[in-house]
Amino acid sequence: MSALSEFRRDLVIAVIFFTRIPLRYRGEIGPAELSRALRCLPLVGLLVGSIAALAGFLAYSLGAPALLAALIAVAASILATGCFHEDGLTDVADGFGGAFERQRKLEIMKDSRTGSYGAAALILSIAIRAAAIAPLIEAGAAWLLLPAAHALARAVIPGLMATTPQASATGLASYHEPPRGAVLWSALGGGALAALLLAGLPAGLWLILAAFLSTLCLRWLALRQIQGYTGDVLGASEQLAEMAVLATAAALLA
């Protein structure tokens, strides 16, 4: 199989697994295939971010206020991913906030029910993202900065996986093999390149720093709370990085 065919295969797997966009894939998607497809996460982010930017632009063009258009943009990204990362954020908030013992935290994170901590985290996530996106829409910058934010927010996931032990032998995270060097650097490099091309200098560097710091903070917290990462922690890392990058972009515009 040629390098281009392998890349196309990995991109299809990444889109299937991380979004609700209906694509067909012939063959089994095992841990090795899924881990290799992580290199395409920045492209998945560009796709989701573009969908969100288009929805926000259309709403704003039809006369919706900027904040309402921003909420529609966030809703579009949620629909595109099926609340994939939001679910991780709510589970992490419930688990980390709802118990003192490590094992009990992990049990709460596996519970499909959403508690008060999770609900608050989800509300804050939507509110912060919408508040940050509104000025980007008004400035006509959402077309560039939303895809950049989504690309960066997903690019940090393999880095978190590569530098942090797994907290549980079961669950979604255990289905991945640890990302190899080529996959890791492809994802990180792809996200950084997207930010630099779409946001320019020096703004792109600030966005990269925001994504890096938010992930570093979550890694520290996850190690203290459950001694590693789970699939929910990976989802939460995307949400925190997305919020951090969008808030930074809005601050730079201001």
Side-chain angles (χ1 to χ4, degrees), residues 25-190:
Y25 177 78
R26 294 182 178 178
E28 182 180 354
I29 301 178
E33 289 77 16
L34 189 54
S35 296
R36 194 168 53 240
L38 293 176
R39 62 175 174 159
C40 296
L41 279 178
L43 290 177
V44 174
L46 288 175
L47 176 60
V48 174
S50 297
I51 292 172
L54 176 61
F57 172 78
L58 289 176
Y60 192 61
S61 299
L62 293 173
L67 182 56
L68 176 57
L71 283 167
I72 291 173
V74 173
S77 70
I78 290 174
L79 289 174
T81 60
C83 282
F84 191 62
H85 304 295
E86 284 80 4
D87 180 67
L89 176 67
T90 58
D91 286 342
V92 166
D94 278 334
F96 288 9
F100 293 103
E101 296 180 357
R102 174 181 178 273
Q103 191 57 41
R104 179 56 183 153
K105 291 177 187 289
L106 290 171
E107 291 173 0
I108 292 174
M109 290 166 67
K110 292 178 181 179
D111 193 330
S112 60
R113 293 171 295 180
T114 299
S116 55
Y117 284 103
L122 181 59
I123 292 170
L124 286 172
S125 171
I126 294 173
I128 290 171
R129 285 183 286 166
I133 292 170
L136 304 184
I137 291 177
E138 288 181 316
W143 278 112
L144 297 176
L145 296 178
L146 265 175
H150 280 269
L152 269 176
R154 287 160 176 79
V156 297
I157 292 175
L160 181 60
M161 296 173 66
T163 60
T164 312
Q166 289 188 20
S168 175
T170 61
L172 184 59
S174 63
Y175 193 70
H176 298 77
E177 292 181 356
R180 297 182 179 180
V183 171
L184 172 63
W185 293 113
S186 293
L188 293 175

